[in-house]
Amino acid sequence: MRLALEGAERFTAVVSDTQSAGRGRNGHTWTSPSGVGLYASLVLRPAVTVERVPVVTLVAGIAAAEAIAQLTGLHARLKWPNDVLINRHKVAGILCEGSFSKRGEDAIVIAGLGVNVNTQPQDVPERPLFPASSLLAESGRHHDRDVLLDLWIERARHWVDVLECGNIALIIERWKDLDALSGERLRVSLPDGRVVEGVECGTDEAGCLVLRLDDGTRFSVIAGDVKIAVG
């Protein structure tokens, strides 16, 4: 973000071999062992209104899933808002943070991506839901981290162009294609302490997760912790 505020160009990437304080959403840590993962942040300057900025998270996720699928040949899927899953195992996470001018113009979004690329199965952290895994563990072979980075940047360029052209429907449709939890009953813990349950119906044009509640109404989730409802 500091580089971006100092004028770094669009799609400038900062990449680390390891991280001492990797983090994800809601203050969660991201384990970043040396030499095996991709830990990258990408400067995005989407020429869109502030209202469209949340869609950038969808764009970054789509780009990551497509890059991983192209590299590995595996079916990478997305869990709203920021997880990439293969075989229901989490292999990557995306975290986007923004900065805006006082007039709401000149948006800067930093898209951070962490991918467990060549992490050994015994070295990935335990997770109770959607267990952590790696591209190595899921595919049975090692992968080139630099190639994955190049693919992510290339796909991000494509989808940011789509966003700037105003074709939100195409982004929503592509996200729907990659949706790992479509049609499943979810329980979402909201920031204000409420919990809502409903059937997942994809995302809307604001980048929100859409649930169909038991009474048939639709509820848009702006932010929340998503789990599969049990019982």
Side-chain angles (χ1 to χ4, degrees), residues 17 34 45 62 67 84 92 105 118 129 143-144 151-152 157-158 190 194 205 218 225 227-229:
D17 186 60
S34 176
R45 297 180 181 274
I62 292 170
V84 182
E105 302 171 349
N118 296 317
L129 184 64
H143 300 280
D144 190 313
L151 288 171
W152 182 50
R157 285 182 180 273
H158 168 76
L190 304 177
R194 289 181 297 157
E205 292 193 352
R218 295 200 170 208
D225 187 28
K227 296 181 180 179
I228 294 177

Side-chain angles (χ1 to χ4, degrees), residues 120-133:
Q120 294 292 335
Q122 66 270 19
D123 295 331
V124 296
E126 293 186 2
R127 301 178 77 248
L129 184 64
F130 303 108
S133 188

Side-chain angles (χ1 to χ4, degrees), residues 1-132:
M1 179 61 79
R2 177 179 58 80
L3 291 175
L5 292 172
E6 292 174 353
E9 297 182 359
R10 288 159 54 102
F11 302 105
T12 296
V14 177
V15 189
S16 177
D17 186 60
T18 186
Q19 295 179 119
S20 59
R23 61 191 175 89
R25 289 179 62 248
N26 301 324
H28 295 163
T29 59
W30 181 273
T31 304
S32 312
S34 176
V36 294
L38 174 61
Y39 320 115
S41 292
L42 192 61
V43 175
L44 303 177
R45 297 180 181 274
V48 296
T49 62
V50 172
E51 291 75 18
R52 292 298 191 197
V53 168
V55 182
V56 175
T57 296
L58 303 186
V59 165
I62 292 170
E66 290 184 342
I68 289 170
Q70 188 171 338
L71 180 71
T72 65
L74 300 174
H75 295 292
R77 294 292 181 262
L78 294 168
K79 171 184 171 289
W80 187 91
N82 67 336
D83 291 346
V84 182
L85 308 179
I86 295 178
N87 299 321
R88 308 282 278 198
H89 294 162
K90 180 176 178 177
V91 297
I94 298 107
L95 179 64
C96 291
E97 297 181 332
S99 174
F100 313 96
S101 69
K102 293 181 179 179
R103 297 173 298 173
E105 302 171 349
D106 305 319
I108 297 172
V109 178
I110 306 300
L113 174 67
V115 187
N116 297 327
V117 181
N118 296 317
T119 315
Q120 294 292 335
Q122 66 270 19
D123 295 331
V124 296
E126 293 186 2
R127 301 178 77 248
L129 184 64
F130 303 108

